[in-house]
């Protein structure tokens, strides 16, 4: 896939929780990398491009375990064996969450 990223991404591999298509339950997914504008994760089932997703994840300890809760839009997906790699663009980040994420990314250089 062609790299069209505007913002630098940082590897951050951990479990995240997502919800989409009006699901009541949160599903587990695997975060792979993150930037100030979005992230990439893998999941066991496809998610339609353009879908809005609610997600929660925790920044590492140096950011006091800050929990980020936000919405994003699926920009792309590709199948990789039995998983789907999903590219997501953040649609809304609270100011405090954005500041914590910016700090994390700056300190991860």
């Amino acid at each position: 896939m062609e790299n069209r990223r505007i913002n630098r991404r940082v590897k951050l591999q951990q479990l995240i929780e997502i919800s989409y298509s009006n699901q009541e339950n949160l599903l587990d997914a695997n975060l792979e990398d993150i930037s100030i504008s979005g992230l990439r994760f893998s999941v066991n089932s496809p998610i339609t491009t353009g879908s809005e997703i609610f997600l929660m994840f925790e920044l590492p300890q140096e950011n006091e375990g800050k929990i980020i809760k936000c919405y994003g839009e699926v920009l792309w997906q590709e199948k990789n064996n039995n998983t789907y790699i999903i590219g997501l663009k953040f649609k809304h980040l609270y100011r405090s969450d954005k500041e914590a994420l910016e700090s994390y990314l700056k300190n991860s250089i």
Side-chain angles (χ1 to χ4, degrees), residues 13-79:
Q13 297 180 332
Q14 66 182 47
L15 194 63
I16 62 174
E17 296 179 315
I18 65 170
S19 176
Y20 62 97
S21 298
N22 298 322
Q23 292 179 337
E24 302 248 344
N25 298 326
L26 293 173
L27 305 172
D28 290 337
N30 295 303
L31 177 61
E32 296 188 8
D33 61 36
I34 191 165
S35 77
I36 195 62
S37 60
L39 54 79
R40 181 174 58 146
F41 66 91
S42 61
V43 67
N44 291 331
S45 57
I47 302 174
T48 305
T49 301
S51 294
E52 185 174 88
I53 294 181
F54 171 77
L55 59 143
M56 289 188 342
F57 60 94
E58 183 175 359
L59 291 177
Q61 294 297 339
E62 59 266 17
N63 286 285
E64 301 171 8
K66 171 79 171 152
I67 303 286
I68 306 290
K69 297 178 184 179
C70 63
Y71 286 91
E73 177 184 354
V74 174
L75 295 181
W76 58 268
Q77 72 173 309
E78 64 181 43
K79 188 171 183 179

Side-chain angles (χ1 to χ4, degrees), residues 66-108:
K66 171 79 171 152
I67 303 286
I68 306 290
K69 297 178 184 179
C70 63
Y71 286 91
E73 177 184 354
V74 174
L75 295 181
W76 58 268
Q77 72 173 309
E78 64 181 43
K79 188 171 183 179
N80 184 12
N81 296 322
N82 294 327
T83 62
Y84 293 84
I85 309 300
I86 309 289
L88 179 126
K89 175 183 176 182
F90 294 131
K91 288 186 76 172
H92 175 74
L93 278 173
Y94 288 107
R95 176 174 285 179
S96 63
D97 290 346
K98 185 174 183 177
E99 289 170 353
L101 181 54
E102 286 172 336
S103 175
Y104 170 75
L105 294 169
K106 181 180 176 184
N107 293 326
S108 296

